Amino acid sequence: MDKNISFTLKVWRQRGPKEKGQFVSYPMTDIPTDTSFLEMLDILNEQLINKGEEPIVFDHDCREGICGMCSLYINGHAHGPATGATTCQLYMRRFKDGDVITVEPWRSAGFPIIRDLMVDRSAYDKIMQAGGYTSVNTGGVPDANSIPISKEKADLAMDAASCIGCGACVAACKNGSAMLFVSAKVSQLALLPQGQVEAARRAKAMIAKMDELGFGNCTNTRACEAECPKCVSISNIARLNREFICAKLKD
């Protein structure tokens, strides 16, 4: 049976990237437990607007766990306490009456704060751009059976491709490493024959761009894997390392 809960929301407020930020507490009363976390923030913003105050800025788009825009750090967890879910898939039934819920933006040199809970995640776009293209024939659609790919390889490639680029791996990592994201994007092509032509260049370019943008190194704490909303495996990081070493040896 649905019920309502009351709690205190501690939200990070920061007017700009160069401004000093601080936590601001907001009492929330009689919030239905079947409300999603983002809907709860909508309720708070409506209350703030009615009072003539500035609403809280946060990223969101699909609200279906697809786009990865809802990048919030909730009670010490990227996307909140739910496993294998984004913030928009988190419901208030996860919390108890009287709780204090702390909400922060991603904390990483690679993701500078724009305002409040919104960060600039364009660094991921730059890494993807560095990865470049794949050489494929652009004509009639080829018969799928004419490209021999084992089911095991296809499944692993699809698992890697499930990464939505939300940045939770960076937020969870003590070093602010983007290795899980980069390894997933490299793996989804490295496992398939279509990605082999540019494989060496891709691995080197994406890692170089990741380092250039200020992301840290991986020290295998597995925090990224634990907080990833799509449960992307760190085995992809091992594959990325192999791809990079092979590329350097070829040089």
Side-chain angles (χ1 to χ4, degrees):
M1 181 177 179
D2 292 334
K3 64 176 184 177
N4 294 353
I5 60 172
S6 298
F7 51 89
T8 299
L9 201 64
K10 287 181 62 178
V11 182
W12 183 260
R13 303 301 306 263
Q14 185 171 339
R15 293 188 63 84
K18 296 182 179 180
E19 301 287 332
K20 187 176 181 180
Q22 63 180 348
F23 282 106
V24 178
S25 295
Y26 300 99
M28 302 296 294
T29 58
D30 294 328
I31 302 298
T33 54
D34 61 353
T35 302
S36 76
F37 200 88
L38 294 189
E39 288 170 341
M40 180 272 295
L41 289 178
D42 290 337
I43 293 171
L44 173 57
N45 276 346
E46 186 174 352
Q47 294 173 356
L48 293 175
I49 291 170
N50 289 337
K51 292 178 183 177
E53 299 179 23
E54 287 284 337
I56 297 165
V57 177
F58 63 95
D59 252 332
H60 63 93
D61 190 5
C62 74
R63 299 203 177 198
E64 294 179 346
I66 298 171
C67 70
M69 295 286 286
C70 52
S71 48
L72 300 182
Y73 207 73
I74 304 166
N75 284 351
H77 294 278
H79 289 299
T83 302
T86 53
T87 302
C88 62
Q89 296 173 304
L90 178 67
Y91 286 82
M92 299 313 297
R93 67 178 72 98
R94 281 271 178 177
F95 304 96
K96 298 177 182 178
D97 194 65
D99 274 356
V100 175
I101 304 172
T102 304
V103 189
E104 303 173 72
W106 287 169
R107 304 287 192 181
S108 168
F111 295 148
I113 293 176
I114 297 174
R115 183 162 183 167
D116 294 340
L117 303 175
M118 180 186 286
V119 300
D120 182 358
R121 292 184 297 127
S122 62
Y124 268 10
D125 296 328
K126 294 173 183 176
I127 293 173
M128 289 292 289
Q129 288 171 346
Y133 56 86
T134 58
S135 294
V136 294
N137 294 323
T138 56
V141 179
D143 184 351
N145 292 328
S146 69
I147 306 174
I149 303 170
S150 69
K151 185 179 187 304
E152 180 186 6
K153 293 285 187 182
D155 287 346
L156 288 173
M158 287 298 291
D159 288 344
S162 68
C163 169
I164 57 177
C166 66
C169 50
V170 174
C173 179
K174 66 179 183 179
N175 303 322
S177 174
M179 284 289 280
L180 190 65
F181 165 76
V182 176
S183 67
K185 296 308 175 185
V186 166
S187 291
Q188 70 187 50
L189 293 172
L191 287 160
L192 302 176
Q194 295 92 329
Q196 296 307 308
V197 178
E198 292 84 20
R201 188 204 62 79
R202 182 183 303 112
K204 291 187 294 182
M206 292 182 77
I207 286 181
K209 181 59 69 173
M210 177 187 69
D211 292 340
E212 176 191 323
L213 294 171
F215 293 101
N217 293 318
C218 173
T219 50
N220 292 313
T221 63
R222 302 187 73 171
C224 56
E225 182 183 59
E227 299 289 3
C228 176
K230 298 302 177 181
C231 303
V232 175
S233 171
I234 62 166
S235 63
N236 290 300
I237 296 178
R239 185 175 297 107
L240 172 63
N241 289 334
R242 288 196 297 272
E243 290 287 319
F244 180 74
I245 291 171
C246 288
K248 296 300 284 186
L249 288 174
K250 286 179 181 178
D251 289 344

